[in-house]
Amino acid sequence: MSLPQIIILGAGLGGTIAAYEIRDAAKGKADVMVVNDQEDYWFVPSNPWVAVRWREPDAIRIHLPPIMKKKGIGFTAVGAKRVHPQENRVELKDGTSLPYDYLVIATGPELAFDEVEGLGPDGFTQSVCRTDHASHAADAFDRFCENPGPIVVGAAQGASCYGPAYEFALILDTELRRRKIRDRVPMTYISPEPYIGHLGLDGVGDTKGLLESELRNRHIKWITNARITKVQEGTMHVEEVADDGSVKSAHDLPFGYSMILPAFRGITAVHGIEGLTNPRGFILADKHQRNPTFKNVYSLGVCVAIPPIGPTPVPVGVPKTGFMIESMVTAIAANLKLELDGKEPAEEATWNAVCLADFGDGGVAFVAQPQIPPRNLNWSSSGKWVHFAKIGFEKYFLHKVRRGTSEPFYEKLAMHALGIRKLRFK
């Protein structure tokens, strides 16, 4: 008899690690197959460095097929056209279909640039959401430096990833000073966050004070509760919204260079499937990362539906940070192992967050246990050590992906020693 089939949809940060961990958990009991839309893995957290040429794209790229083959994991880069959960199959873009017994959705998001006129690489702003976007942004930055002017960096309304926006604003400041042209570049940070350092998490520790201080010391002005109405070449039209939802003031911000993170939504392959997704196309999941309607479908990462922390004048989404995603991976792998043994899922991810935000010559780190408040631990710190820690993390994570390892024993021991767990105590 053939073994049960587990399909993992997506091979980004979460999907790649999930493939390794699920393969180890299900070895001999199920076959594992990864469906992705390309053959390469890209270390997205380093994209802000790519956009100022501190990294070349190839330095953060890993070719996956040989690694997956060595691990005994099936792999296709044809890409998914549509998920059919009622029929337990994934329709591929070449017209074929793959049946599954269990599906793990780890697709990441679709980038909703079209929700704001003129936004994105096809419009008038840059992006660091994908490595090819960051490479395009590097070319644009080189051209900008030949004729410096104002810069606008930030996030659009509904965005749910704010760390890279702060990172990039401050990395730009560092690079402009290195090029001796910072004095010719007025900078503005704009965000739908109700205050600087909110991060979609109502702050972590003193991220408000730390990030306000960084922006102030680097002469970067900011506008919060910001809603971008339209982007034209060289001008960004922004409404500053009051607490009651009315427009407090309108700003026409000139720019010679801009990077704006867009809102996210679910990818087309899953969008609009009743019982599987919410209206934005994000996957509905219970405390075991399992879909309430389709019990053999799990999800992890940015594609998971998580409600906002609370009401804000401008829509602010919740980020899914790296360690939080890894905790989802570990819970899913453990629950699939239970299911293959004929038992019910029992493990829950902690959703703890450990984050490093690099500013080029410093940075901010925070630990939130769990990521969503109220928390058992709520800590943040800043210093030059964060910059070096992020360089070390990049090299370490790429090493893990190349080796086909999810969590080496020494990482597990170190995290346990710090009291940072991936699974909740029962």
Side-chain angles (χ1 to χ4, degrees), residues 8 18-28 30-32 71-73:
I8 299 167
Y20 302 156
E21 195 158 336
I22 290 169
R23 174 59 180 164
D24 290 343
K27 196 168 185 179
D31 290 327
V32 179
K71 290 287 290 184
I73 300 168

Side-chain angles (χ1 to χ4, degrees), residues 189-373:
Y189 180 86
I190 65 168
S191 176
E193 299 163 274
Y195 58 83
I196 291 297
H198 181 280
L199 300 170
L201 298 169
D202 201 11
V204 181
D206 189 29
T207 49
K208 181 179 189 294
L210 290 172
L211 288 170
E212 279 190 356
S213 178
E214 285 286 350
L215 295 179
R216 192 177 293 112
N217 288 342
R218 294 169 185 254
H219 308 285
I220 300 174
K221 297 180 180 180
W222 66 77
I223 302 171
T224 51
N225 285 329
R227 180 171 59 213
I228 304 171
T229 58
K230 184 169 63 172
V231 184
Q232 295 175 303
E233 186 172 8
T235 306
M236 187 172 299
H237 303 281
V238 177
E239 293 178 341
E240 187 176 355
V241 180
D243 289 342
D244 63 1
S246 62
V247 176
K248 180 179 177 181
S249 58
H251 305 267
D252 295 330
L253 302 176
F255 67 86
Y257 184 89
S258 178
M259 195 292 296
I260 301 292
L261 301 177
F264 294 162
R265 61 185 173 225
I267 68 167
T268 304
V270 299
H271 207 293
I273 299 175
E274 187 174 352
L276 183 66
T277 66
N278 71 5
R280 289 286 297 178
F282 294 114
I283 310 299
L284 301 170
D286 64 14
K287 63 183 181 180
H288 303 302
Q289 304 300 138
R290 185 168 68 164
N291 181 258
T293 302
F294 304 102
K295 300 290 189 179
N296 61 341
V297 177
Y298 289 84
S299 58
L300 63 94
V302 179
C303 68
V304 175
I306 300 177
I309 296 296
T312 52
V314 182
V316 172
V318 176
K320 290 89 170 183
T321 55
F323 191 83
M324 176 190 187
I325 294 171
E326 290 192 64
S327 78
M328 295 180 186
V329 168
T330 297
I332 291 172
N335 286 327
L336 283 170
K337 186 174 183 180
L338 288 170
E339 290 215 54
L340 292 169
D341 289 338
K343 302 174 184 178
E344 279 295 302
E347 300 292 353
E348 298 178 39
T350 57
W351 286 16
N352 289 334
V354 181
C355 290
L356 301 169
D358 171 61
F359 302 156
D361 55 359
V364 168
F366 68 79
V367 178
Q369 297 187 34
Q371 179 168 293
I372 309 298

Side-chain angles (χ1 to χ4, degrees), residues 373-393:
R375 302 184 178 107
N376 295 314
L377 178 62
N378 194 43
W379 172 88
S380 61
S381 182
S382 62
K384 289 187 176 181
W385 67 271
V386 179
H387 172 67
F388 297 108
K390 183 147 188 182
I391 293 173
F393 176 70

Side-chain angles (χ1 to χ4, degrees), residues 129-199:
C129 294
R130 294 181 359 192
T131 305
D132 59 335
H133 289 172
S135 183
H136 183 272
D139 293 338
F141 183 63
D142 286 341
R143 293 192 297 271
F144 166 82
C145 288
E146 295 173 2
N147 184 27
I151 283 179
V152 178
V153 173
Q157 54 272 23
S160 56
C161 186
Y162 299 94
Y166 286 107
E167 279 192 304
F168 194 56
L170 297 166
I171 284 171
L172 282 175
D173 170 81
T174 300
E175 179 62 18
L176 289 166
R177 283 187 282 113
R178 289 176 180 175
R179 298 192 187 205
K180 309 298 185 185
I181 57 173
R182 178 66 181 89
D183 60 315
R184 298 163 61 187
V185 183
M187 292 182 66
T188 305
Y189 180 86
I190 65 168
S191 176
E193 299 163 274
Y195 58 83
I196 291 297
H198 181 280
L199 300 170

